[in-house]
């Protein structure tokens, strides 16, 4: 914006001699006066020509060598000679009473040649040479009033639009907040609707239940409990009690005292995340998903604490060993590991120590009372992943010594921790059976079953320890089960070996049960028949075939409860629970 000083004009009356001689007038040379830029523009616009204002006489002689438009001429050049006026000298900027501005020398000559009728060259208003006033300002600039008004109007509109935009942004944020609340409410209502449907199905089954199915609670997830028949029940100690739909579940454990099941699941969909699910064993079988700690990835092994059912231990491929409290449904400990964890175990002799078997073959011991670092760390005999680990009773071990049994594709090994003496691991002799793919242990009887499949001539050690959650199902191959018995602290005896149909890709799970009326039993899946087979030890005599709805078998667990015992078998999206009716 121009400086206000540009508009200061001080008048100074010109003292000119009004009585000039005729000779002097004759000596004045004629000045060609150009039309005013505004008049010129008006005439040219009437003739349909483009309007260009320039000095006709000196269009190419200005210092800048540029053509000037109307905006450049206004307030800068004399409209008579089209030359820039000055603040000193003969071409001093001056004005007439009508307000039009000229160079002094130009307006003087113009008025002199007008004779008696002297007029302003722009508006034709009468004036004399006495009326000319010099303007004392560094620069004269005219502001377009209409443009200024338009600018002010546009500025006001911008301010108004900014206010409206702010209001709309605020309303948009409020709508987004309401939308999130509605979605949350919708998800809650969907969950409640699902639970009500399950309760309805359960109540309908109770109303329509037949006498022959009494004692068999209706299942969850839309699956019907089949009638096993008296002839089938007499062949073994277990009878199907519940059948639960568990989409994406791969591992589970049962807390008999609290009547809950913990499962690891992968949610449906591409890139589905891994979660834990806590489910009640009491109708209507409510369930709750629990998020894993950040970076945990897939859970490879889980166990509920045998001395405190409110604590659960998880080993994950995200190099995490975590402890969950089922009372608050939150993780209370999370240990960082040097390698992905494949297996874990609670210490059977106390509730403070926990163990983890790693992908690189190492074993780590932690004391939950010390969270800074591991209690002990040992390198494995090979770099094969430790796919199974069990804590052993220390009744026959020296004081202060704990022991664990680990299994990898290379075989089975006992590790002793604590005490003052350095102890070497004890490798269990199983013969040339192949690659060890599963290990089951019964603490109450010290019976051990190791499962093997034929080795493949492959230099890759990982070939014998495929990940449990691999999408490949595989097929049955001829393998073997080896029955071992633990005597004393470090002594083992191989009691029997039997052939078995095992999976050629996955790492199966099995269970050893010490049942009072039937002795020690071994439960494992038959990959060819699709059955859960119960065998009596040590003879491996088959006493019962439990038909399964789906394959493959992912996990098998057995727990004692108030009714005698509960055997669980996790297949593809179905968890089948069998009760030990012989003990009721």
């Amino acid at each position: 914006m121009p400086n206000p000083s540009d508009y200061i004009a001080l008048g100074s009356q010109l003292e000119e001699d009004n009585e000039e001689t005729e000779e002097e007038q004759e000596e004045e040379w004629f000045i060609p006066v150009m039309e005013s830029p505004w008049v010129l523009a008006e005439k040219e616009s009437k003739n349909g020509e483009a309007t260009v204002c320039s000095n006709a006489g000196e269009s190419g002689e200005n210092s800048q060598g540029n053509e000037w438009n109307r905006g450049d001429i206004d307030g800068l050049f004399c409209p008579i000679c089209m030359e820039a006026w000055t603040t000193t000298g003969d071409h001093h900027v001056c004005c007439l009473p009508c307000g039009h501005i000229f160079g002094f020398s130009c307006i003087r000559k113009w008025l002199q040649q007008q004779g008696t009728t002297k007029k302003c060259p722009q508006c034709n208003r009468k004036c004399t040479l006495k009326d000319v006033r010099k303007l004392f300002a560094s620069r004269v600039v005219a502001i377009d009033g209409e443009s200024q008004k338009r600018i002010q109007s546009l500025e006001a509109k911008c301010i108004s639009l900014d206010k409206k935009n702010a209001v709309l942004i605020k309303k948009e944020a409020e709508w987004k907040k309401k939308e999130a609340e509605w979605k949350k409410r919708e998800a809650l209502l969907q969950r409640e609707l699902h639970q009500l449907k399950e309760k309805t199905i359960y109540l309908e089954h109770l109303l329509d239940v037949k006498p022959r199915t009494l004692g068999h609670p209706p299942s969850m997830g839309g699956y019907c409990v089949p009638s096993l028949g008296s002839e089938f029940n007499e062949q073994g100690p277990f009878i199907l009690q519940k059948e639960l739909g568990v989409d994406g579940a791969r591992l589970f454990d049962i807390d008999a005292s609290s009547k809950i099941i913990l499962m690891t699941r992968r949610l449906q969909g591409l890139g589905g995340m891994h979660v834990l699910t806590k489910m009640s064993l009491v109708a209507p079988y409510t369930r709750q998903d629990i998020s894993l700690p950040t970076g945990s990835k897939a859970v490879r092994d889980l166990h509920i604490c045998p001395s405190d059912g409110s604590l659960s231990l998880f080993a994950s491929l995200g190099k995490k060993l975590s402890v969950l409290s089922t009372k608050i449904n939150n993780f209370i400990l999370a240990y960082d590991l040097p390698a992905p964890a494949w297996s874990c175990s609670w210490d059977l002799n106390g509730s403070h120590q926990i163990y983890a078997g790693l992908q690189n073959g190492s074993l780590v011991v932690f004391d939950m009372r010390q969270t800074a670092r591991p209690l002990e760390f040992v390198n494995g005999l090979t770099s094969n992943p430790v796919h199974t680990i069990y804590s052993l009773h220390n009744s026959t071990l020296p004081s202060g010594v704990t022991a664990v049994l680990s299994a990898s594709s290379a075989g089975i090994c006992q590790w002793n921790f604590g005490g003052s003496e350095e102890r070497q691991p004890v490798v269990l002799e199983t013969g040339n059976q192949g690659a060890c793919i599963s290990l089951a242990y019964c603490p109450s009887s010290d019976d051990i079953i190791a499962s093997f499949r034929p080795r493949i001539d492959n230099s890759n050690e990982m070939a014998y320890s495929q990940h449990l959650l691999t999408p490949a199902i595989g097929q049955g191959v001829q393998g073997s089960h080896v029955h071992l018995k633990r005597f004393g602290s470090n002594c083992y005896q191989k009691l029997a070996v039997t052939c078995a149909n095992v999976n050629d890709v996955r790492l199966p799970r099995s269970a050893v049960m010490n049942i009072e009326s039937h002795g020690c039993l071994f439960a494992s899946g038959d990959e060819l028949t699709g059955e859960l087979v119960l065998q009596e030890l040590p003879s491996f005599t088959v006493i019962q075939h439990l038909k399964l709805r789906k394959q493959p078998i992912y996990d098998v667990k057995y727990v004692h409860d108030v009714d005698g015992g509960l055997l669980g078998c996790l297949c593809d999206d179905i968890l089948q629970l069998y009760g030990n009716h012989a003990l009721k």
Side-chain angles (χ1 to χ4, degrees):
M1 179 176 288
N3 192 292
S5 64
D6 293 343
Y7 304 101
I8 300 175
L10 299 177
S12 174
Q13 185 174 2
L14 299 175
E15 296 180 356
E16 298 289 342
D17 186 6
N18 295 329
E19 297 179 355
E20 295 182 356
T21 64
E22 295 181 357
E23 294 179 356
E24 290 177 344
Q25 293 179 358
E26 292 177 356
E27 291 177 356
E28 292 291 346
W29 52 275
F30 180 77
I31 301 174
V33 179
M34 294 187 64
E35 293 279 4
S36 166
W38 294 272
V39 177
L40 180 62
E42 182 179 359
K43 289 183 178 181
E44 290 179 346
S45 63
K46 291 180 180 179
N47 296 330
E49 300 176 355
T51 302
V52 178
C53 298
S54 62
N55 189 329
E58 301 178 1
S59 60
E61 299 178 1
N62 57 56
S63 60
Q64 297 179 352
N66 299 327
E67 291 184 353
W68 299 94
N69 57 33
R70 177 176 175 178
D72 296 325
I73 295 173
D74 289 348
L76 297 177
F77 295 93
C78 173
I80 297 176
C81 67
M82 303 304 292
E83 289 289 337
W85 46 52
T86 62
T87 57
T88 59
D90 191 42
H91 204 244
H92 195 117
V93 59
C94 62
C95 70
L96 295 176
C98 59
H100 292 113
I101 304 174
F102 308 93
F104 177 74
S105 59
C106 293
I107 192 61
R108 181 185 65 184
K109 293 174 183 178
W110 167 267
L111 295 175
Q112 286 175 352
Q113 75 179 13
Q114 290 294 311
T116 58
T117 57
K118 298 178 175 57
K119 298 179 181 179
C120 172
Q122 287 188 291
C123 65
N124 291 328
R125 182 176 176 180
K126 292 183 179 181
C127 61
T128 63
L129 195 59
K130 294 181 179 180
D131 296 326
V132 178
R133 297 289 184 272
K134 287 186 177 181
L135 301 178
F136 297 92
S138 59
R139 182 185 179 193
V140 179
V141 178
I143 296 179
D144 189 347
E146 293 297 327
S147 299
Q148 190 175 17
K149 289 180 181 179
R150 286 196 298 270
I151 291 173
Q152 292 174 351
S153 176
L154 291 174
E155 288 177 347
K157 288 182 179 179
C158 288
I159 294 173
S160 177
L161 290 175
D162 288 339
K163 291 181 179 179
K164 290 181 179 179
N165 187 43
V167 173
L168 292 176
I169 292 175
K170 185 177 180 181
K171 289 184 177 179
E172 182 183 10
E174 292 176 355
W175 279 110
K176 286 184 178 180
K177 184 178 180 181
K178 290 182 179 180
E179 183 182 9
E181 293 176 353
W182 290 338
K183 288 183 178 180
K184 185 177 180 181
R185 178 61 178 168
E186 181 184 7
L188 181 62
L189 292 175
Q190 290 286 356
R191 194 179 303 114
E192 292 178 357
L193 177 62
H194 181 69
Q195 293 176 355
L196 289 174
K197 286 182 178 180
E198 291 179 348
K199 288 181 181 179
T200 302
I201 295 173
Y202 171 69
L203 294 174
E204 288 176 351
H205 277 287
L206 287 182
L207 293 174
D208 298 336
V209 68
K210 297 180 180 180
R212 63 184 178 89
T213 60
L214 291 176
H216 301 256
S219 64
M220 176 182 176
Y223 303 111
C224 298
V225 179
S227 177
L228 300 178
S230 59
E231 58 180 4
F232 186 84
N233 295 341
E234 292 173 356
Q235 295 179 2
F238 288 95
I239 186 170
L240 184 61
Q241 287 189 343
K242 296 181 178 69
E243 201 170 69
L244 309 176
V246 286
D247 296 340
R250 293 296 179 266
L251 296 171
F252 78 100
D253 203 356
I254 304 172
D255 181 13
S257 61
S258 300
K259 297 292 182 181
I260 63 170
I261 297 177
L262 279 180
M263 296 175 290
T264 64
R265 300 171 55 229
R266 184 172 185 174
L267 301 182
Q268 294 181 351
L270 184 64
M273 67 176 183
H274 299 272
V275 298
L276 302 175
T277 299
K278 184 173 75 171
M279 177 186 291
S280 172
L281 285 175
V282 181
Y285 311 106
T286 58
R287 64 178 71 186
Q288 182 177 4
D289 290 336
I290 303 171
S291 300
L292 294 171
T294 304
S296 293
K297 297 184 180 179
V299 174
R300 185 61 182 77
D301 198 10
L302 75 89
H303 293 282
I304 295 176
C305 181
S307 60
D308 184 356
S310 65
L311 299 178
S312 301
L313 185 63
F314 296 85
S316 70
L317 296 179
K319 301 181 182 180
K320 296 283 186 181
L321 182 65
S322 309
V323 178
L324 171 75
S325 171
T326 55
K327 289 183 178 179
I328 59 175
N329 293 336
N330 202 358
F331 287 89
I332 57 176
L333 285 176
Y335 294 100
D336 292 323
L337 303 173
W342 277 54
S343 55
C344 60
S345 176
W346 293 93
D347 189 277
L348 294 178
N349 310 289
S351 59
H352 301 301
Q353 285 191 185
I354 52 179
Y355 306 92
L358 307 186
Q359 181 173 289
N360 59 9
S362 304
L363 280 82
V364 188
V365 186
F366 289 95
D367 189 327
M368 291 196 299
R369 297 168 296 183
Q370 301 176 9
T371 59
R373 59 184 179 275
L375 196 63
E376 291 195 48
F377 180 89
V378 294
N379 293 317
L381 299 180
T382 67
S383 60
N384 296 53
V386 179
H387 59 70
T388 313
I389 187 171
Y390 286 105
S391 171
L392 301 175
H393 279 295
N394 61 358
S395 58
T396 59
L397 295 172
S399 177
V401 177
T402 60
V404 296
L405 203 62
S406 68
S408 67
S409 62
I412 310 168
C413 185
Q414 177 181 322
W415 301 83
N416 297 330
F417 301 100
S420 57
E421 299 180 4
E422 182 178 354
R423 294 176 174 82
Q424 295 298 321
V426 179
V427 180
L428 279 64
E429 180 60 39
T430 57
N432 189 19
Q433 300 295 329
C436 180
I437 58 175
S438 178
L439 184 68
Y441 169 65
C442 179
S444 61
S445 63
D446 275 335
D447 285 283
I448 302 164
I449 301 293
S451 301
F452 296 84
R453 65 173 167 232
R455 289 187 181 275
I456 302 173
D457 187 13
N458 193 328
S459 59
N460 183 10
E461 292 181 338
M462 294 289 288
Y464 308 119
S465 298
Q466 295 289 342
H467 191 277
L468 178 67
L469 301 180
T470 177
I473 296 177
Q475 58 186 359
V477 296
Q478 189 70 34
S480 61
H481 297 314
V482 178
H483 182 199
L484 301 167
K485 187 80 170 181
R486 178 174 176 243
F487 298 96
S489 59
N490 300 319
C491 299
Y492 294 87
Q493 181 182 357
K494 184 168 67 174
L495 300 181
V497 179
T498 186
C499 295
N501 297 319
V502 298
N503 195 280
D504 64 339
V505 176
R506 296 179 301 100
L507 298 178
R509 300 284 179 128
S510 55
V512 179
M513 304 164 286
N514 188 15
I515 300 177
E516 189 174 323
S517 59
H518 285 78
C520 200
L521 302 180
F522 174 58
S524 63
D526 190 309
E527 293 291 335
L528 293 182
T529 64
E531 298 173 331
L532 184 64
V533 181
L534 268 63
Q535 296 173 286
E536 194 174 38
L537 298 178
S539 62
F540 284 106
T541 302
V542 177
I543 64 170
Q544 191 172 7
H545 293 272
L546 300 176
K547 293 291 183 180
L548 303 175
R549 286 192 175 274
K550 290 188 177 182
Q551 283 186 291
I553 299 174
Y554 290 113
D555 199 2
V556 178
K557 289 285 192 335
Y558 176 80
V559 295
H560 289 281
D561 61 10
V562 293
D563 296 326
L566 193 63
L567 176 64
C569 181
L570 179 60
C571 305
D572 189 15
D573 297 338
I574 298 177
L575 176 61
Q576 297 180 213
L577 298 176
Y578 297 87
N580 185 0
H581 69 90
L583 298 181
K584 293 183 181 180

